[in-house]
Amino acid sequence: VSTWINGRRRTTIDARDRGLLYGDGVFETMRVRGRRVRLLDFHLERLLEGCRRLAIHAPRAALLRREIAACAARRPEAVLKLIVTRGPGERGYRPTGAEPATRILTLQPLASAARPLPPVRVRMCKTPIGSNPSLAGLKTLNRLESVLARSEWRDARVWEGLMGDLDGHLVCGTMSNLFLRRGSTLMTPLLDRCGVAGVMRRWVLAQAPNLRLRSWQGRFAWDTIAEAEEVFMTNAVAGIVSVALIERGQSRVKLAQTETADRLRARLEQL
Amino acid sequence: VSTWINGRRRTTIDARDRGLLYGDGVFETMRVRGRRVRLLDFHLERLLEGCRRLAIHAPRAALLRREIAACAARRPEAVLKLIVTRGPGERGYRPTGAEPATRILTLQPLASAARPLPPVRVRMCKTPIGSNPSLAGLKTLNRLESVLARSEWRDARVWEGLMGDLDGHLVCGTMSNLFLRRGSTLMTPLLDRCGVAGVMRRWVLAQAPNLRLRSWQGRFAWDTIAEAEEVFMTNAVAGIVSVALIERGQSRVKLAQTETADRLRARLEQL
């Protein structure tokens, strides 16, 4: 694992950084393939959108591109994580507006969780996702809900956990987004109240017309899974991951089809 | 500002600390008076309860007491902040369970916001608080909602902002708890779904019988404020702060009484 902080090789950050004090920042977890970052434009767009909505002074895109390219070039396959925090601050929640953002780049080897052998097993988590339209869709450093949900199981055969909101709607996985297909309709939860709008989710939604699928973002409950013909999950590092089994307490839903995920994966490989 | 990390004078922390990566930790902001921390037992109890609920390996209470006492002794009046994170971790949300917690102690001068001149002005914020019973009541490092709410105003005459949940119930201030009194009933929002259960809130609730007040925790909407005879807000640093004016868009509620807050403050001074 190698780390660069504000462009320099460092391993520590200022203990007054608001990223630590309040989770006041955003991040991207990117897949390096062939020494380049996959879906880089989408990652940068979401990062900068997050900075805009949180009123963080975002680093210039050209600077980020340069640093990311130099970092990615060091390994053929890797995970590249970029954190941007509001930077060190005074005491108190209110930003002065003058904080210089901190950027932290970390290059790490691909972990096994990043290379699942689909179709995978998934479980429904008890930890709910709280709704807050102000933060919905963003990948902020406030990730305790994901930490608690991911702490619910240790069985390495279960790849991911599904999370729902307090009204019982499915929202996303702890580290991925959810897609259901029935016929030629591709459904994914609407993320206007909570959840992280993944870059791979965005890419899949953009591909849908090419696969003659009608995509639909909405609210749906657990029961909808039983009506799905195919379920897959997406994240920027692992890509498109078919789901064979979903567990929720004692009930289990088995899924046999992987056709859409297979076609999407083939397209993704061509990028 | 002086900082000690795991008992040593330091100013930086490991960039892999989960406190930074995920806001995976809790904190206490304590008032030093006469070189001692006020309500120390309540602070430690909440901190350890937070560690328990997040399954963080909490530092031993005796160690925390020793370090806090040594730190507080350096200044007659100050703010002492203690952060406990899960510590440095591997990539991924799931804790291994073996992370050694990081403790960060910071001693800083009393800021002006910590010494308001009551009765103060307060405003209703637009940023809502998301509900999540798993985290409700805890003072975690996931504080982006407070940051966004506190960013809504810059007018230094407004001391605090009130926040409500998505159903329109009042919950708390960005950095304080809310109390309303009507007759001999003292009301404060129930914090079973969201909000931080402040140590000063706990102290006030414990004092209520001594002041012949019946305390009640429940859900109430904005309209309840219009029916209140007295409103005050509490936090561990500023104490008990009477509210004279609450603004919400164009509407304003004026409050004349400060009797209960005055009596509580007198008792607090005697501690």
Side-chain angles (χ1 to χ4, degrees), chain A residues 10 12 93 106 114-115 124 131 179 237 244 256:
Chain A
R10 288 274 159 79
T12 62
Y93 293 128
T106 309
R115 288 183 286 196
M124 188 70 206
S131 294
F179 283 89
V237 174

Side-chain angles (χ1 to χ4, degrees), chain A residues 11-13 15 22-23 29 91 93-96 108 128 130-132 141-145 150-151 154 166 174, chain B residues 11-13 15 22-23 29 91 93-96 108 128 130-132 141-145 150-151 154 166 174:
Chain A
T11 58
T12 62
I13 69 150
Y22 309 129
T29 308
R91 206 183 83 79
Y93 293 128
R94 186 166 77 85
T96 62
Q108 40 204 324
S131 294
N132 191 333
L141 296 174
N142 279 206
R143 294 259 67 80
L144 265 176
E145 291 171 341
R150 187 58 190 83
S151 302
R154 292 185 163 263
L166 284 169
T174 66
Chain B
T11 58
T12 62
I13 68 150
Y22 309 128
T29 308
R91 205 184 82 80
Y93 292 128
R94 186 166 77 87
T96 62
Q108 39 205 326
S131 293
N132 191 331
L141 296 174
N142 279 208
R143 294 260 66 81
L144 264 176
E145 292 172 341
R150 187 58 191 82
S151 301
R154 291 185 164 264
L166 284 169
T174 66

Side-chain angles (χ1 to χ4, degrees), chain A residues 129-141:
Chain A
I129 297 196
S131 294
N132 191 333
S134 308
L135 299 170
L138 301 183
K139 198 168 170 94
T140 75
L141 296 174

Side-chain angles (χ1 to χ4, degrees), chain B residues 2 19 26 35 37 42 74 116 125 131 164 193 196 209-210 216 253:
Chain B
S2 313
V26 290
R35 303 186 187 277
V37 167
F42 283 9
R74 300 167 71 101
C125 292
S131 293
R193 295 183 187 164
V196 175
N210 301 332
W216 180 79
V253 176

